[in-house]
Amino acid sequence: MIRLDNISKQNGHQILFIEASAALQRGEKVGLVGPNGSGKTTLFRMITGEEQPDEGQVAVDRGVTIGYFSQDVGEMSGRSAVSEVMDGAGPVSTVATELKELESAMADPGRADDMEGIVARYGEVQARFEELDGYALEGRAREVLAGLSFSQEMMDSDVGALSGGWKMRVALARILLMRPDAMLLDEPSNHLDLESLIWLEQFLKGYEGVLMMTSHDREFMNRIVTKVVEIDGGTLTAYSGNYEFYEQQRALSEKQQQAQFDRQQAMLAKEIKFIERFKARASHAAQVQSRVKKLDKIERVEPPKRRQTVTFEFPPAPRSGEDVVSLNDVHKSYGNRTIYDGLDLVVRRKERWCVMGVNGAGKSTLLKLVAGSTEPDDGRVSVGGSVKMGYFAQHAMDLLEGEQTVFESLEHSFPQAGQGSLRALAGCFGFSGDDIEKRCRVLSGGEKARLVMAKILFDPPNFLVLDEPTNHLDMATKEMLITALSQYEGTMLFVSHDRHFLAALSNRVLELTPDGIHQYGGGYTEYVARTGHEAPGLRS
């Protein structure tokens, strides 16, 4: 359906692709992977025709429709969310518009003379609309929006009043409703809660066209893709299998390449030693010359490209008392909506609670109550003795001083720390080279999240309260964070939609449901085994 033939592409001084080739066939579900800045978004834009390769060609079969979801959703306002979604449904939307115009024309007495032609055209358009299943369009639009966690009220409200994250979901719903032959999804898992993520996973598994997507959620990627295309050093390499299989194959291939490189280096060293030893002896001149020619002809094996892996080790956190935080008979409402009606919870030292619940269940509210950023209407929240809390919330990213550089921001927070240790900290969280001179106001969401997390973890608290800490983080930073937190000696209370993060770090689950609040010993994996579902309100 889609072919990339020997494409080369350069952006400024950066070479993205050198004679790279790949093919996408109907029914394939492809994960596109590569380091940040390697050209994933550029590749999508070349397939849609928004950008052209410098050399080579991108060939799309005649008649193939492409739906492209990107992080840049543009302006939306003036229409309901459901209307906005229906408008993106491709040909059926155009046909629906013409149908409405013809209905108006038939009701217009001033066009009586044209009525025969109008009625005939209406019949043709109506037949086409039925063929495209147009009458079910609004129902399907609402079904998709409900899958992405929209309430009926939100579906019918002005899309302009929604936050950026919800507008992203509207843009994603447009592509899903469109049912194109090829879907290109750039980070569709960003901004989704766990329930929406699992719904999207099922939707994409049932999609019959060609799918190519990027995602920083390894579990999501692993469950959907059947092929991985990797961008590495300007080339495209395809691996059959899911993301986990790709990782194994890549590690094996690196190991084999390293062994080949080592063998060749040993052989070259031996030959060079012989040449150096005998080059001055006339008796060995022919042999030396022969070996020099042989070396010139040898195709050199390159060492495997090493992906930069970042590691972060916690300095030991001070020990807290046994009871870290207690909530006694806590009541909390917003307007007429009751969030908590007599909540009791005790978090003890070294416990790692993950908080589960559908949208609006009160996950973030619980974390705010514990952190002290909101007060209960009734009841008591008590933080234990010697507790030093670190609270990561999405709004914390808005509190960064815009004019400070990344390095100045770290220096401001830790004036006693040496420059070397702050640079090492910045490097662990993905700020290397000139990145540390970027001003905070120009940082992306992911960069801001990494900077805030770095500040929290440099001088570690013994109680971490984390609200969606992995939003915007790429896979490498997420893996670093999981590795670091798995060695953390303190206590944790967190909300996350990342199942890999949940499974790796939790040892307790607090489930918020309309039927009440349930506590489970054991982590997320045990919760799934015991309840039979991956998130509250879902059945497996």
Side-chain angles (χ1 to χ4, degrees):
M1 286 177 75
I2 298 170
R3 291 178 312 285
L4 304 148
D5 296 324
N6 294 313
I7 59 164
S8 296
K9 180 73 175 174
Q10 189 166 338
N11 276 350
H13 296 299
Q14 188 187 11
I15 296 170
L16 295 176
F17 300 103
I18 309 163
E19 296 183 352
S21 297
L24 307 176
Q25 307 298 342
R26 181 177 293 281
E28 284 186 332
K29 293 180 168 56
V30 181
L32 181 63
V33 302
N36 283 345
S38 60
K40 297 189 289 290
T41 300
T42 302
L43 188 70
F44 282 150
R45 290 171 63 84
M46 285 195 288
I47 292 172
T48 60
E50 291 174 56
E51 287 193 37
Q52 297 300 319
D54 299 335
E55 291 174 26
Q57 67 166 353
V58 178
V60 179
D61 287 352
R62 187 185 296 277
V64 167
T65 54
I66 296 175
Y68 173 38
F69 170 75
S70 76
Q71 295 294 301
D72 181 16
V73 298
E75 271 306 304
M76 290 183 191
S77 65
R79 287 194 289 191
S80 68
V82 75
S83 299
E84 191 73 43
V85 170
M86 285 169 67
D87 189 56
V92 70
S93 177
T94 311
V95 176
T97 304
E98 189 178 354
L99 206 58
K100 281 200 174 75
E101 287 168 357
L102 289 166
E103 283 166 359
S104 299
M106 286 193 293
D108 183 359
R111 300 193 61 182
D113 293 348
D114 306 327
M115 201 53 67
E116 194 177 327
I118 291 169
V119 170
R121 178 62 186 157
Y122 184 79
E124 290 168 14
V125 174
Q126 190 178 41
R128 176 67 178 142
F129 192 62
E130 284 175 358
E131 187 187 309
L132 291 168
D133 201 18
Y135 286 109
L137 183 64
E138 183 171 340
R140 291 210 324 271
R142 289 183 182 277
E143 196 181 312
V144 170
L145 285 168
L148 296 174
S149 298
F150 278 77
S151 65
Q152 291 298 324
E153 187 185 350
M154 288 171 75
M155 291 180 202
D156 293 315
S157 301
D158 185 349
V159 72
L162 298 175
S163 68
W166 286 99
K167 284 179 180 172
M168 288 269 187
R169 295 189 196 206
V170 171
L172 178 59
R174 283 177 70 141
I175 304 298
L176 301 181
L177 183 68
M178 180 182 166
R179 292 184 181 174
D181 300 312
M183 246 196 269
L184 309 178
L185 304 181
D186 195 358
E187 294 293 346
S189 51
N190 275 5
H191 304 287
L192 295 187
D193 53 54
L194 188 50
E195 295 75 34
S196 304
L197 205 55
I198 293 166
W199 178 87
L200 179 59
E201 197 174 278
Q202 293 307 316
F203 184 98
L204 294 177
K205 280 180 182 175
Y207 170 66
E208 293 175 357
V210 60
L211 169 70
M212 181 182 251
M213 69 171 191
T214 63
S215 177
H216 289 151
D217 187 322
R218 64 182 298 138
E219 191 72 25
F220 179 70
M221 180 89 92
N222 207 34
R223 291 177 181 215
I224 294 170
V225 306
T226 52
K227 175 178 170 182
V228 171
V229 170
E230 179 190 53
I231 305 176
D232 194 13
T235 62
L236 293 170
T237 309
Y239 296 81
S240 291
N242 62 11
Y243 185 79
E244 198 174 316
F245 180 75
Y246 149 74
E247 283 197 311
Q248 291 165 358
Q249 287 299 109
R250 194 180 197 287
L252 182 64
S253 148
E254 274 191 3
K255 196 174 174 184
Q256 289 169 342
Q257 194 175 345
Q258 186 66 52
Q260 259 185 305
F261 175 74
D262 291 343
R263 280 197 300 273
Q264 190 181 69
Q265 289 299 304
M267 181 273 290
L268 292 173
K270 194 175 168 186
E271 293 293 315
I272 290 165
K273 191 176 178 184
F274 179 91
I275 291 164
E276 289 299 320
R277 186 176 172 189
F278 295 110
K279 67 182 177 185
R281 297 192 191 178
S283 59
H284 287 73
Q287 280 176 285
V288 167
Q289 209 47 40
S290 164
R291 293 194 183 204
V292 168
K293 283 179 183 172
K294 179 182 159 189
L295 286 189
D296 286 343
K297 287 178 183 172
I298 286 175
E299 190 174 333
R300 302 297 165 105
V301 175
E302 292 290 325
K305 297 185 189 80
R306 294 286 178 209
R307 289 281 169 88
Q308 188 187 2
T309 52
V310 289
T311 54
F312 177 79
E313 288 184 8
F314 275 93
R319 184 182 168 124
S320 70
E322 285 305 309
D323 286 356
V324 175
V325 68
S326 306
L327 292 89
N328 303 104
D329 195 26
V330 165
H331 295 253
K332 184 67 182 175
S333 298
Y334 290 110
N336 296 325
R337 197 157 67 92
T338 300
I339 307 293
Y340 293 113
D341 186 14
L343 168 64
D344 292 307
L345 174 70
V346 179
V347 177
R348 294 188 171 85
R349 193 171 74 86
K350 288 200 171 185
E351 289 181 342
R352 295 154 175 252
W353 287 86
C354 70
V355 185
M356 311 283 294
V358 297
N359 262 336
K363 301 186 294 291
S364 292
T365 300
L366 174 63
L367 270 54
K368 286 175 184 172
L369 287 164
V370 167
S373 65
T374 193
E375 294 293 323
D377 299 335
D378 204 357
R380 207 155 58 93
V381 179
S382 315
V383 176
S386 306
V387 170
K388 178 185 174 191
M389 190 187 304
Y391 175 40
F392 177 89
Q394 298 303 307
H395 71 81
M397 298 188 285
D398 302 328
L399 303 179
L400 293 168
E401 177 55 57
E403 288 308 310
Q404 285 182 341
T405 65
V406 168
F407 191 72
E408 285 168 350
S409 186
L410 290 173
E411 268 191 323
H412 183 260
S413 296
F414 308 109
Q416 305 304 317
Q419 287 217 353
S421 60
L422 290 184
R423 284 181 186 277
L425 173 68
C428 284
F429 283 85
F431 296 103
S432 54
D434 294 340
D435 288 343
I436 61 170
E437 297 306 324
K438 279 185 179 176
R439 297 205 181 276
C440 291
R441 61 181 160 74
V442 302
L443 297 180
S444 67
E447 288 170 325
K448 284 180 180 176
R450 295 203 309 264
L451 179 55
V452 171
M453 193 64 71
K455 289 184 173 198
I456 290 172
L457 300 184
F458 184 64
D459 181 16
N462 50 31
F463 181 32
L464 283 173
V465 179
L466 308 174
D467 193 357
E468 294 287 4
T470 61
N471 269 7
H472 309 292
L473 297 188
D474 59 36
M475 280 200 200
T477 311
K478 210 180 281 188
E479 283 302 318
M480 179 276 288
L481 190 59
I482 288 171
T483 303
L485 290 175
S486 63
Q487 294 159 8
Y488 170 64
E489 290 288 314
T491 307
M492 288 173 62
L493 177 70
F494 63 94
V495 173
S496 176
H497 67 248
D498 188 293
R499 284 161 288 179
H500 180 48
F501 190 86
L502 289 168
L505 295 173
S506 59
N507 60 23
R508 298 282 188 283
V509 175
L510 185 73
E511 182 187 40
L512 312 176
T513 75
D515 307 325
I517 293 166
H518 310 289
Q519 300 184 17
Y520 297 87
Y524 175 73
T525 307
E526 290 87 347
Y527 163 82
V528 173
R530 286 173 65 180
T531 62
H533 54 255
E534 294 181 277
L538 291 176
R539 295 286 172 264
S540 58

